[in-house]
Amino acid sequence: MSDLTFTKIEQSIKDRKRLHLTFLKNVKTYAPFLELEEKAFADGALNRKTKELMALSISIVTKCEPCMEWHLDQAMQHGATDQEIYETIDVAIEMGGGQAGAYARFVLKAMEYFKGKREE
């Protein structure tokens, strides 16, 4: 895995896991944010997969690579198909134009990464 994008994804995952407890202890807004996230992504009229795909599209438009990596992984864990991810990218490009198209390349690389991890 010498690919720089894969290295970036792995570092993002390591940093998130390593800093989680530090955030919980020291950042007052972090625990309430996690509670908000739990409620927002709970199954309701929309299921978790659909909500993760929505968040992935927003992440692309807002150019947040750690968000793209997280929500893509969550969507895949909840059964998102390649075609659903591609259509999510379509929506992001419609909403965010050329910049969203450029950032969506990161999603495709992350998709390769997570598929490879699941095959290991």
Side-chain angles (χ1 to χ4, degrees):
M1 287 211 210
S2 62
D3 186 295
L4 290 175
T5 302
F6 286 5
T7 301
K8 181 190 260 188
I9 292 166
E10 288 175 343
Q11 189 61 52
S12 176
I13 292 166
K14 285 178 189 173
D15 288 346
R16 183 174 54 250
K17 289 178 179 179
R18 182 176 56 82
L19 297 171
H20 175 73
L21 291 178
T22 301
F23 267 72
L24 278 176
K25 282 189 213 174
N26 299 295
V27 179
K28 292 181 278 188
T29 56
Y30 187 63
F33 176 78
L34 293 177
E35 290 174 26
L36 171 67
E37 179 183 43
E38 185 178 325
K39 289 176 183 174
F41 285 92
D43 284 340
L46 298 173
N47 64 25
R48 174 80 183 256
K49 177 181 75 171
T50 301
K51 292 177 181 186
E52 292 294 351
L53 290 169
M54 291 169 66
L56 176 60
S57 186
I58 293 165
S59 299
I60 294 168
V61 172
T62 61
K63 305 174 199 95
C64 178
E65 288 181 348
C67 302
M68 290 178 226
E69 168 256 306
W70 172 260
H71 292 295
L72 172 66
D73 185 33
Q74 293 299 304
M76 291 173 76
Q77 286 183 39
H78 288 88
T81 65
D82 289 2
Q83 192 56 43
E84 289 171 324
I85 293 165
Y86 294 139
E87 289 186 19
T88 297
I89 292 170
D90 285 335
V91 172
I93 291 172
E94 191 281 328
M95 294 300 294
Q99 289 182 344
Y103 274 88
R105 292 183 191 118
F106 179 83
V107 173
L108 297 180
K109 293 298 288 184
M111 225 166 105
E112 286 177 33
Y113 174 82
F114 288 118
K115 283 182 175 187
K117 283 295 182 188
R118 285 173 176 81
E119 291 172 2
E120 289 180 358

